[in-house]
Amino acid sequence: MNKFMFLIVALLFFYDAQAQIEPTLAAKSFRLTMLDNQIVSFNDIDQLKNIDYNAVREAKLQAQPGSKEILNQEILSLFLNEMPKLQKLSISHNITVIPEIIHQNTSLKTLELAYNDLKTLPESLSNLKVLEELSLLQNPHFEQLPQSLSALKNLKYLSLLVTNFKEFPTVIFEIPSLETLLISGHFNRDGSNRILAIPDLFQQVSQLKTLNISNTELSELPSSIVSLTKLSELYLDGNKLLVFPYTVKKLPKLEVFGMSNNPLDFQAYKKSLKGISWRGLLYLADVGFTQSQYEELQALLPKHDLYY
């Protein structure tokens, strides 16, 4: 597989993480999209006084990378509770707490809280009745999901990449509508900030199409992974896998599988490749194999593009 194709796949996969945060020269910026598609941008929060809250469809609040300024709770509450037509809210502003969501909200579908310093979310998150996408990317101290997350019956996308879970959050398995789940800890060679075990409950989230479980202590997959018959992308990078997981061989819709940066044993791994029924892309970088070993594996996998 050439590098150009790899970059395309990587960009698509990390779209929520990278494309949503736009650089700005100001210490902070506010960008609102109104119901009539008019875009309003400003840096002074006082200009919010001139905005018709009933006409805001999307809002992006962000601080310049490196800024220490924290958006106050009153402003956050305004966006979460006083804009009844708001469908998409993106906040990247060093926030440490999300205020209570006072009323039932039937408009907000996307909530992006990437690049903040949150530790948890309020139980009142359940008031976001139609929420479909939730991103907590790059909240390095985030460690607990509220149990009320299970009440979000429309949630399809959940990003917990680069967070601080010590245990896999089991409330995730109470959200059968999920189609994309991304979860990882920090990449630390000493094993700190890594999830030690994965519950064997994936049959409860059988609608998953994309699954990323990276930088954990995972050495084998739960057998219930085989129930993910709609899964097309699976990423298990930065774990403790030694061989090609048996449960991955028969996934009927799988097209992309990443297991880079795992301590693979070449001979055992080579033997474990028998019986793979799907065809597609296989990412296998940083596993300690030689060029000739990679070429040997590629010869054994004529239906796959091996990227290393």
Side-chain angles (χ1 to χ4, degrees), residues 20 63 127 135 215 218 226 229 235 254 259 272 281:
Q20 294 164 356
N127 279 328
S135 175
N215 292 340
L218 186 64
V226 75
T229 57
Y235 302 88
L254 199 62
M259 55 182 308
S272 70
L281 307 179

Side-chain angles (χ1 to χ4, degrees), residues 5-19:
M5 287 183 65
F6 172 73
L7 288 173
I8 291 176
V9 173
L11 286 171
L12 288 173
F13 177 69
F14 288 106
Y15 177 80
D16 76 305
Q18 307 302 325

Side-chain angles (χ1 to χ4, degrees), residues 96-129:
T96 58
V97 177
I98 292 293
E100 294 295 327
I101 300 164
I102 301 171
H103 313 292
Q104 286 195 6
N105 184 310
T106 57
S107 62
L108 192 65
K109 294 184 177 181
T110 300
L111 180 57
E112 298 167 356
L113 301 172
Y115 296 92
N116 289 297
D117 198 21
L118 296 166
K119 292 184 178 180
T120 188
L121 296 173
E123 289 289 340
S124 57
L125 188 75
S126 59
N127 279 328
L128 301 180
K129 294 299 184 181

Side-chain angles (χ1 to χ4, degrees), residues 97-300:
V97 177
I98 292 293
E100 294 295 327
I101 300 164
I102 301 171
H103 313 292
Q104 286 195 6
N105 184 310
T106 57
S107 62
L108 192 65
K109 294 184 177 181
T110 300
L111 180 57
E112 298 167 356
L113 301 172
Y115 296 92
N116 289 297
D117 198 21
L118 296 166
K119 292 184 178 180
T120 188
L121 296 173
E123 289 289 340
S124 57
L125 188 75
S126 59
N127 279 328
L128 301 180
K129 294 299 184 181
V130 297
L131 194 68
E132 295 180 359
E133 301 183 16
L134 175 60
S135 175
L136 290 155
L137 168 77
Q138 283 282 359
N139 279 265
H141 298 104
F142 195 90
E143 57 189 13
Q144 184 177 10
L145 287 169
Q147 184 59 38
S148 64
L149 194 73
S150 63
L152 301 181
K153 302 303 182 183
N154 296 296
L155 194 65
K156 297 179 180 179
Y157 179 99
L158 179 60
S159 175
L160 302 171
L161 291 173
V162 193
T163 49
N164 194 41
F165 289 97
K166 302 298 190 300
E167 297 181 355
F168 196 95
T170 56
V171 67
I172 287 173
F173 296 109
E174 299 178 39
I175 313 172
S177 56
L178 272 183
E179 295 181 1
T180 297
L181 171 60
L182 318 175
I183 182 168
S184 74
H186 300 285
F187 176 70
N188 292 328
R189 294 186 183 279
D190 63 1
S192 61
N193 294 326
R194 291 189 172 206
I195 296 167
L196 298 178
I198 311 294
D200 194 10
L201 296 170
F202 282 94
Q203 73 277 4
Q204 298 178 200
V205 284
S206 60
Q207 300 302 306
L208 280 177
K209 298 178 181 178
T210 299
L211 175 62
N212 181 318
I213 304 175
S214 54
N215 292 340
T216 77
E217 296 292 293
L218 186 64
S219 58
E220 60 182 24
L221 291 187
S223 59
S224 58
I225 289 285
V226 75
S227 66
L228 300 180
T229 57
K230 297 183 179 181
L231 199 66
S232 61
E233 297 184 44
L234 175 60
Y235 302 88
L236 300 173
D237 305 313
N239 291 299
K240 295 297 181 64
L241 299 170
L242 300 177
V243 297
F244 195 100
Y246 176 79
T247 52
V248 176
K249 293 182 180 182
K250 304 299 182 182
L251 293 174
K253 299 290 185 180
L254 199 62
E255 298 176 351
V256 181
F257 180 37
M259 55 182 308
S260 296
N261 194 28
N262 278 276
L264 303 179
D265 177 88
F266 178 73
Q267 293 300 331
Y269 182 79
K270 185 171 67 171
K271 292 179 181 178
S272 70
L273 295 177
K274 296 179 180 179
I276 301 175
S277 60
W278 55 273
R279 62 174 63 205
L281 307 179
L282 177 58
Y283 298 135
L284 205 62
D286 299 319
V287 295
F289 293 168
T290 65
Q291 178 67 30
S292 61
Q293 287 175 327
Y294 278 122
E295 292 173 356
E296 186 176 348
L297 293 178
Q298 181 64 87
L300 293 173

Side-chain angles (χ1 to χ4, degrees), residues 60-71:
K60 176 176 288 189
L61 326 175
Q62 68 181 77
Q64 182 182 11
S67 169
K68 301 297 183 182
E69 184 172 353
I70 300 176
L71 201 62

